[in-house]
Amino acid sequence: LANSKASYNRTDSLFKQGYETAQDVDNARTQVAVSQSAVDTAQSGLTVAEAGKNSAEAEESSAVNNLNITVNKGQSDIAAAAAAVAQARASLELAQANQSQKPAYQANLNAIKSAVTAASDQLNSAITQLGYTTIRSPIDGWVTARNADPGSTATVGEILLTVQQLSKLYISVPVPEEEIAQIHLGTSVVANLDALPGKTFRGKVTYINPSANLLSRQFTVRVSIDNPGDVVMPGMFAHVTFMLQREPNVLTIPREALIKKGSRSEVAVVDAKSICHLENVTTGATDGSKIQIKSGLSAGDNVVIQSARPVKDGMIVKIAPSIPLSQGSTSPVQSNGALG
């Protein structure tokens, strides 16, 4: 608004000097009116927001006062009931001391015992009522949801808080139908999380849904992992590797180096003279990025992973920095899932 007014004053001054048109003055005056309207609207919104804030603060104060009144009343009821119990017990002891007058006092003794029982029931009721003002969880864990505020009224069956133990979590993983037959209860897994790079969590398969999803044709597998230090939180995204078999000290190549021709598998090997040879190979287990070579290659061979065009047997190639064949272990199936 201040900027619009300054612009109007400048335009009006230039108009009076003959440097601006009357239309420019009208435009500047209109802009001042528009800015003034925006300021008035914003001021009205601020007034409404402040009124809402004051109302919410008043409701909060009232709820806290109601809670304090309930707690104080419960404590007063307990004190009164305890005093009544003490008085009744004193009367009982006096009556028992005068048992020589038993016939005369028997009826009074029975009445005092009834008073003691009634006072004890009242005390227990007051203790129970006071206990309703404090919520205690039967397990140690973390509060992951709060559905009620202090001072509000709770109904029977209403969920007030959600408490979760994080020492052991599970991951729900979708597994394709062609792989589900290899997975069983107790299958070992390794989980890695995007939110915790460099950390590895081990666990086992604890549940396999016997029915596949009708749309994705995948089975839901539940994996349980230990969570030392409670560093993993529910809802994180995890990459899960199922350890279906272990092949130590095997010869492997990147999957990109394998050439499939029907039922045959070939690998383009480059010799010392930069000449390419297509070699038939027998493959084994895979972990998704590397594949085992059972025969057809030797450790140290240079293989073609990527090329600008399809390679042919006998072709002379230009060798880029090579990746030698490696030895290692394989784990055939990988999948992703969400923690729960």
Side-chain angles (χ1 to χ4, degrees):
L1 175 61
N3 187 46
S4 299
K5 288 181 178 180
S7 177
Y8 167 73
N9 293 333
R10 182 170 56 255
T11 303
D12 184 60
S13 176
L14 293 174
F15 169 72
K16 291 178 180 180
Q17 299 176 33
Y19 294 110
E20 296 285 356
T21 65
Q23 182 62 44
D24 293 334
V25 175
D26 292 340
N27 290 341
R29 184 182 297 109
T30 300
Q31 185 59 44
V32 171
V34 169
S35 299
Q36 182 64 54
S37 177
V39 169
D40 294 341
T41 299
Q43 184 62 44
S44 299
L46 176 60
T47 302
V48 172
E50 289 177 343
K53 173 177 174 292
N54 294 335
S55 176
E57 289 177 345
E59 291 179 358
E60 178 186 11
S61 177
S62 176
V64 172
N65 289 336
N66 289 338
L67 175 62
N68 293 334
I69 291 172
T70 301
V71 173
N72 292 335
K73 184 178 182 302
Q75 292 174 343
S76 299
D77 292 343
I78 288 177
V85 169
Q87 182 178 1
R89 285 176 176 171
S91 299
L92 176 61
E93 292 172 356
L94 178 61
Q96 290 174 338
N98 294 291
Q99 285 188 357
S100 59
Q101 303 177 15
K102 185 174 181 179
Y105 289 110
Q106 187 62 51
N108 187 37
L109 181 60
N110 293 335
I112 293 175
K113 288 182 178 179
S114 298
V116 171
T117 301
S120 297
D121 292 340
Q122 184 180 0
L123 175 61
N124 293 333
S125 177
I127 293 175
T128 301
Q129 293 295 326
L130 181 62
Y132 292 155
T133 63
T134 302
I135 301 174
R136 291 181 174 86
S137 171
I139 63 172
D140 294 332
W142 297 81
V143 175
T144 57
R146 191 186 78 174
N147 303 318
D149 295 321
S152 59
T153 302
T155 59
V156 176
E158 180 181 358
I159 298 177
L160 304 180
L161 299 171
T162 300
V163 180
Q164 290 184 320
Q165 281 187 330
L166 302 183
S167 60
K168 185 178 291 292
L169 297 177
Y170 67 84
I171 311 172
S172 296
V173 186
V175 176
E177 57 182 350
E178 61 269 17
E179 305 287 356
I180 194 64
Q182 304 179 67
I183 298 176
H184 308 279
L185 293 179
T187 298
S188 297
V189 301
V190 175
N192 301 97
L193 285 78
D194 294 340
L196 301 171
K199 292 183 177 292
T200 299
F201 300 86
R202 299 187 178 275
K204 293 183 178 181
V205 174
T206 57
Y207 173 77
I208 301 175
N209 193 328
S211 176
N213 185 286
L214 296 179
L215 297 178
S216 65
R217 309 307 304 170
Q218 293 185 333
F219 292 80
T220 298
V221 175
R222 178 172 290 182
V223 173
S224 177
I225 64 170
D226 293 327
N227 184 20
D230 295 346
V231 295
V232 181
M233 297 297 176
M236 288 184 175
F237 188 79
H239 304 272
V240 177
T241 300
F242 293 86
M243 306 300 293
L244 304 184
Q245 65 184 91
R246 187 176 296 276
E247 298 287 347
N249 301 319
V250 298
L251 191 66
T252 64
I253 63 172
R255 288 185 62 90
E256 296 83 0
L258 191 66
I259 303 172
K260 297 292 291 184
K261 291 184 178 180
S263 60
R264 297 171 51 196
S265 298
E266 295 182 347
V267 175
V269 181
V270 180
D271 61 18
K273 297 181 180 181
S274 298
I275 299 177
C276 179
H277 304 279
L278 295 179
E279 301 288 348
N280 292 325
V281 296
T282 302
T283 61
T286 177
D287 66 355
S289 61
K290 299 186 296 297
I291 187 168
Q292 178 187 4
I293 301 299
K294 293 184 176 180
S295 64
L297 294 179
S298 300
D301 287 346
N302 289 322
V303 301
V304 177
I305 300 175
Q306 292 181 336
S307 61
R309 57 179 179 171
V311 294
K312 298 180 179 180
D313 195 71
M315 177 184 292
I316 298 177
V317 299
K318 180 180 180 181
I319 303 177
S322 61
I323 302 176
L325 296 180
S326 62
Q327 292 185 338
S329 300
T330 64
S331 46
V333 179
Q334 288 189 333
S335 187
N336 300 324
L339 286 160

